[in-house]
Amino acid sequence: MKTRDIVFYSEGSKMIGTIYLPDDYKDGEKRPGIIANSGWTGMNKVYPAMFARQMTKFGYVCMGFDYRGFKPSGGISGMDKYTTLEMEVDDVCNAITFFKHQPEVDPEHIALIGWGVGGAVCVTSAYRDKTVKAVATLNSFADGRRWMRMGMGNDKFYKMLRTLEEDKYKRVTTGDPVLRHPYEFYPNIDESGDFYTDHVLKEINGGIQSSVDADSGEEFPTPMSTAIGESFIRFNVEDLLPKIAPRAVFVGHGYYNELHQRVEAEEAYRLANEPKQLYYVDGKHNEWMFDEDPKFQALAAALADFYKEHLKPMEFGLQK
């Protein structure tokens, strides 16, 4: 896989990312493209790069980037630790605009992959930008309030709501963004949070560091404004899913996922109109998310088949 670094802007914020090219890409070609998007606290060099390593094998040009508020991407006027899912939708839509003008990309054949909360973000982005011909929502949710309440339980959920209201009042009366650990208001984080920092980051940093990002030197994940927690609760794509058609929707989910309950995948698939596909991984949230894991490879192959059918890229000589 070949790579080149990119910079684009999302509502004034500088966004840092990567274009990923198949090894057999030749100058002058325009191929179908996939933008791979991370989940909450995710980074381009983790899951977007991982999906790109798989999808470029099937001939696709890919792109990944870091949302605003996550280094090395920036924010405006000191708001480098402030984001919401609505802002991430803006980031993805601006990424689509940038991507379709890249010389390697056929602008008529563009798809999205969204991991974790990025799945719901990508559904919203696909609804907004008709450039997108197919979208995959993986281990995500359809109704943020339901997902959060089910994952936390009623007592913790309603306590969180009271705290978020207090934090919101502080933000609007003092200008303080109110920074907290990003997993403080997140359901069942024990399933994936420790795994992510202790295994995934350790692997990509050569086994040297686990919860410290090698590029920035900061502890990972860094504190973020609790504005993101409010957006989790209000974010809902149930009304949008039926409106994606006739463009295609792929719903992928860990069958035993406890971080994002399976009902979210079932509802997303039920609400989407044809063409659509539901794919279950025989696992939880991310313990199988490694390049050499057969479960991840099987998911990537299913995605490649799905995009092959709905992006109609056969003229580009993609693998069967």
Side-chain angles (χ1 to χ4, degrees):
M1 181 178 70
K2 309 174 209 177
T3 64
R4 65 178 175 86
D5 296 333
I6 56 170
V7 173
F8 66 98
Y9 292 85
S10 180
E11 313 309 317
S13 293
K14 185 177 182 180
M15 313 297 289
I16 307 298
T18 310
I19 295 289
Y20 303 94
L21 299 171
D23 286 331
D24 64 352
Y25 176 81
K26 297 179 176 60
D27 289 344
E29 288 184 319
K30 286 188 175 293
R31 298 198 184 188
I34 299 170
I35 304 177
N37 300 275
S38 189
W40 173 230
T41 73
M43 299 181 293
N44 171 37
K45 66 181 179 180
V46 187
Y47 290 155
M50 189 180 300
F51 280 109
R53 287 193 293 272
Q54 291 294 328
M55 304 316 292
T56 53
K57 293 178 183 177
F58 293 94
Y60 294 95
V61 173
C62 295
M63 174 177 159
F65 68 96
D66 292 294
Y67 300 118
R68 77 182 92 174
F70 294 94
K71 291 185 177 181
S73 291
I76 301 176
S77 302
M79 301 299 282
D80 61 332
K81 299 182 184 300
Y82 185 102
T83 192
T84 64
L85 295 190
E86 291 88 354
M87 292 168 67
E88 292 184 359
V89 171
D90 287 339
D91 294 345
V92 174
C93 287
N94 288 316
I96 294 167
T97 298
F98 176 83
F99 190 52
K100 68 184 179 183
H101 288 282
Q102 298 310 293
E104 305 93 342
V105 177
D106 175 0
E108 299 299 319
H109 296 91
I110 289 177
L112 299 177
I113 293 174
W115 171 263
V117 298
V121 166
C122 284
V123 167
T124 307
S125 302
Y127 169 75
R128 182 188 296 185
D129 192 327
K130 302 304 187 287
T131 299
V132 177
K133 297 301 188 293
V135 58
T137 172
L138 309 175
N139 272 342
S140 192
F141 65 86
D143 181 336
R145 186 180 183 90
R146 178 180 59 212
W147 158 56
M148 293 284 280
R149 186 174 61 80
M150 288 182 65
M152 290 182 159
N154 285 333
D155 287 348
K156 184 177 180 181
F157 178 76
Y158 288 107
K159 180 179 179 181
M160 176 194 69
L161 291 184
R162 292 190 293 272
T163 302
L164 288 178
E165 181 63 24
E166 293 169 0
D167 288 359
K168 184 177 181 179
Y169 183 71
K170 185 175 183 179
R171 288 202 311 275
V172 303
T173 54
T174 69
D176 185 341
V178 190
L179 304 182
R180 294 181 184 269
H181 192 286
Y183 293 157
E184 183 173 344
F185 298 138
Y186 205 84
N188 289 330
I189 197 59
D190 287 346
E191 177 172 321
S192 69
D194 293 340
F195 181 87
Y196 184 73
T197 55
D198 292 343
H199 296 275
V200 178
L201 288 182
K202 185 175 182 179
E203 179 177 269
I204 65 173
N205 289 334
I208 299 173
Q209 297 170 325
S210 58
S211 60
V212 177
D213 180 64
D215 292 335
S216 68
E218 290 188 336
E219 184 177 352
F220 182 87
T222 58
M224 297 291 291
S225 172
T226 52
I228 187 67
E230 295 173 26
S231 72
F232 288 158
I233 295 165
R234 65 175 174 257
F235 211 77
N236 188 311
V237 298
E238 291 181 317
D239 290 342
L240 303 184
L241 281 160
K243 300 175 183 178
I244 301 297
R247 296 167 299 144
V249 176
F250 181 103
V251 181
H253 211 81
Y255 191 83
Y256 303 104
N257 195 336
E258 296 174 357
L259 181 64
H260 295 265
Q261 297 287 336
R262 194 167 69 242
V263 64
E264 298 302 327
E266 294 167 349
E267 281 298 288
Y269 180 73
R270 181 184 69 83
L271 290 166
N273 287 319
E274 296 288 351
K276 60 183 178 179
Q277 180 177 343
L278 178 62
Y279 181 94
Y280 282 125
V281 176
D282 185 22
K284 294 185 178 181
H285 186 67
N286 61 359
E287 82 284 358
W288 44 272
M289 281 291 288
F290 291 98
D291 290 271
E292 302 306 320
D293 193 298
K295 295 175 183 177
F296 177 63
Q297 292 177 346
L299 171 63
L303 285 168
D305 287 343
F306 179 78
Y307 291 136
K308 178 180 175 181
E309 178 179 359
H310 297 292
L311 294 184
K312 307 298 183 187
M314 286 304 298
E315 64 269 35
F316 297 91
L318 301 188
Q319 291 183 15
K320 296 181 179 180

